[in-house]
Amino acid sequence: QEANRIIAGIAEQNGVRKIVKGKSMTAEETFLNDHLEAEGFQVTETDLGEWIIQLRHEGPSHMVMPAIHLSRQEVAELFSKITGTDQDPNDIQGMVKVARGRLRQAFLEADMGISGANFAIAQTGTLGLVTNEGNGRLVTTLPRVHVALVGFDKLVPDLASALRILRVLPRNATGQLISTYVTWITGATPSSVTADGKKVFHVVFLDNGRLALAKDPIFASTLRCIRCGACANVCPIYRLVGGHNYGHVYIGAIGLILTYFYHGRKNARAIVQNCLNCQACKAVCPGGIDLPRLIKEVYRNVLQTEGSKPLRNRLLGRVLKDRGLFHFLLRRAWLAQKPVSDGPYLRHMPMLFGAEHSFRRLPVVSAKPLRDRWPRIAPTVAAPRYRIALFAGCLVDFVYPEQAEALLRLLADYRVQVEFPMEQTCCGLPAKMMAENEAAREVAIQNLNAVDPAGYDYVLTLCASCGSHLKENYPKLLAGPPGLGVKVAQLASKVIDFSSFMVDVLQIPPLSHVGASDMVAYHAPCHLCRGLGVTQEPRELLARSGLDYVPSKEEEVCCGFG
Ligand code: SF4
Ligand code: SF4
């Protein structure tokens, strides 16, 4: 509100009536247009997408492409209405001409231009704008008054830092090496219509929680966001629901975090669980922000502030911490699931999860878990090349124990001694996902005690989610307790997934037991390709198995299981 008032005040002092505006997410954040219009100013958005949504009285659905939710037919319909002439939806050039005609007039009549900035260089006082339509340059040069609304996060120390942003922003935002226009403004530019021959020029810096964020040890990294929008483009949730469902201007992964800081807990509460932890956002973020982790931290903060956790979170945390109870319940689940099972799948989820998860078909719990089969199947290898611990996780232990049996059959040819430490339990990822950090930490300690990494060459996982949680999250979760550092680092360094073990460690030769004509497609688990960074080994394994691997589209896009 304060920033809006300052800008309205500048407009009033300078006798402004008409305002043109360049695209600025910061201005969307403060609802600047609403404020200025309520004060009687006429505001025209000049970015094509922003102008379209302004005419439709909508907010942006994307930080870079604000009208991406609209089809050309919808735009043609809108332009037909405002021009009174039928517009051809296939004549994109014609529609652009309509916009250009209208906007040129607005530029010429405007008394004031409002812009944002992609960076503000502290050393020289220079503002930088990265645009493709040229409207940014017209907004900042034609009117006699220019006001830039700039978030504190856009401040960079020097030109070199600004150029670093310039190198990554167009590439990550629109797939360009450089945008069509880069505008640099240092101080008030010349003007022939003002008394002192210079434009009236103001920069309004917006805090709105940014300075507090900068001091936050966990969330300060979010200020490295350059608003490229890539974390939305790759997010399976954004791709399905679009930007308006995030409720506010910031969308995608960064939106789940910034909404909490800029628009409050209640607004964040409504959306923060819209994350499948697929890690796609983290993989593309040029700021190196660990977005999935911060999203979980926001959820934890929200629950902590509310002071009451949902029943299922508390139950899950309580049960996971107690391995005996957890395994007892899983064994009982085999009996309890009978009325709702349908062959290898459950027909529907237990009532506690029913409403939200009714679309899922979960596999049934096995009649005999791996730990009960182990005494019968445990291998004994004379003079083994490698001694490995199998970390089964709940899924292989209680749902797919036959996967572990298959593993043993495969490894029998390679002199690998496999052990199954019985004290192991769930890796704890579900607790972390539900913001039950305390339970996640306790479970991690139990597993660290159960699987002593010093005794093994590798800790092998068949579940990529377990693997990436052990490798990536355990060191962070257990950073606090003294004495665990060395052990947890050792564990993390020894965790390996099945395909990497077969291809990189055992270097298995090409096999020919499967007919070469068998074609297979491959869908990469998120936590394997992005969590563990393993991409080639599974494909290589398919090739060495004699299968005809056929690449398909979007092999690494999240399956949506979450
Ligand atoms: S969080 Fe990263 S990927 Fe998302 S908009 Fe910001 S810089 Fe781009
Ligand atoms: S982890 Fe995946 S689902 Fe979650 S915000 Fe990032 S891209 Fe979206």
Side-chain angles (χ1 to χ4, degrees), residues 10-11 13-16 111-113 139-140 143-148 187-191 193-203:
I10 295 169
Q13 283 157 23
N14 289 281
V16 167
D111 310 298
M112 177 164 142
V139 161
T140 55
R144 60 190 161 83
V145 182
H146 172 207
V147 177
T189 47
S191 166
V193 295
T194 52
D196 65 354
K198 282 189 171 180
K199 281 167 71 90
V200 177
F201 176 51
H202 292 271
V203 181

Side-chain angles (χ1 to χ4, degrees), residues 63 172 224-231 254 281 284-287 289 291:
M63 294 183 284
N172 240 40
R224 296 202 297 259
C225 172
I226 55 169
R227 310 282 190 266
C228 70
C231 60
I254 193 70
C281 49
V284 295
C285 177
I289 307 170
L291 295 152

Side-chain angles (χ1 to χ4, degrees), residues 231 234-237 253 256 274-281 292 295:
C231 60
V234 298
C235 176
I237 304 253
L256 299 183
N274 289 333
C275 172
L276 296 163
N277 196 34
C278 76
Q279 313 272 325
C281 49
I295 291 166

Side-chain angles (χ1 to χ4, degrees), residues 6 17 25 57 101 157 228 255-256 264 283 290 309 315 334 416 420 503 508 518 548 552 557:
I6 290 171
R17 213 167 51 79
M25 291 302 108
H57 308 289
C228 70
L256 299 183
D290 189 346
K309 295 178 185 174
L315 274 180
W334 178 69
V416 179
F420 178 71
V503 172
I508 62 159
D518 288 342
D548 184 7
S552 45
V557 170

